[in-house]
Every structure is written in structure tokens, then in C-alpha cells.
Amino acid sequence: MTSPTIPHAVYIIWWIGLIVTLVVLVPLAVYLLHRTWRSARSIQRYAAETLQAAGGIARNTVNIAALDATIGVASDMLAVEGRLDTVAAVLEERAP
């Protein structure tokens, strides 16, 4: 058995495909991978900045619960204040 001969045109097409792949597709793939890597690094930097900002917000808002408690106590004190003014006025009138 003899192996069939491959036409010369097949070799030419194969070499053209190889050259196109090496000249066009490989640089294109490298460019796209580099662009993807830069985008990923940019996202990573933005995420780090966001995390830092979120930490600052958390530190600055940690005392809101204490402020709410203070406002509650102050509201109660204002309700009592009217009665205390009346008591003070009565005591002032009775003072010699």
C-alpha cells in the first residue's frame, strides 16, 4: 500500500493558516488578555478604595445608636421640664 500524495495546495493553505495565526491571532489574543488584566487590576484598585471608604463610614456612624438614646432621654427630660418649672415657681413663691 502506498500513501496517497497530498496536493501542493494543501501545504500552501496550511502555511497561510499558520502565518495568519502567528501574525494576527496570537497578537490579538495577547492584546485582549492584557486589556482584561488591566481592567481586573482597575477593578481591584476601585474595590480597595471602596473598602477603605466603607471603613470610614462605619467608624463615623458607630455612635448613631448612642445619639438616638441621648435624644430619647432628652425628650423625656423636656417632658418633665415643664413640671419642674411649675415646682420651681411654687418653691420660689414660698421662699421667704
Side-chain angles (χ1 to χ4, degrees):
M1 278 204 169
T2 61
S3 64
T5 59
I6 300 175
H8 187 66
V10 172
Y11 286 114
I12 293 174
I13 293 171
W14 186 86
W15 277 106
I16 290 172
L18 181 65
I19 291 169
V20 166
T21 300
L22 293 176
V23 171
V24 176
L25 296 179
V26 170
L28 178 64
V30 169
Y31 168 75
L32 292 174
L33 284 171
H34 180 67
R35 197 168 131 188
T36 303
W37 177 78
R38 282 189 321 189
S39 296
R41 293 287 297 164
S42 177
I43 291 169
Q44 188 178 22
R45 279 193 305 273
Y46 290 142
E49 291 174 8
T50 302
L51 182 61
Q52 184 179 8
I57 291 169
R59 282 190 303 276
N60 290 330
T61 58
V62 72
N63 295 324
I64 288 178
L67 290 172
D68 287 340
T70 302
I71 290 170
V73 170
S75 298
D76 293 342
M77 290 173 64
L78 288 175
V80 173
E81 186 231 351
R83 289 185 233 144
L84 290 177
D85 284 343
T86 304
V87 171
V90 169
L91 289 176
E92 214 172 76
E93 287 175 8
R94 292 187 181 181

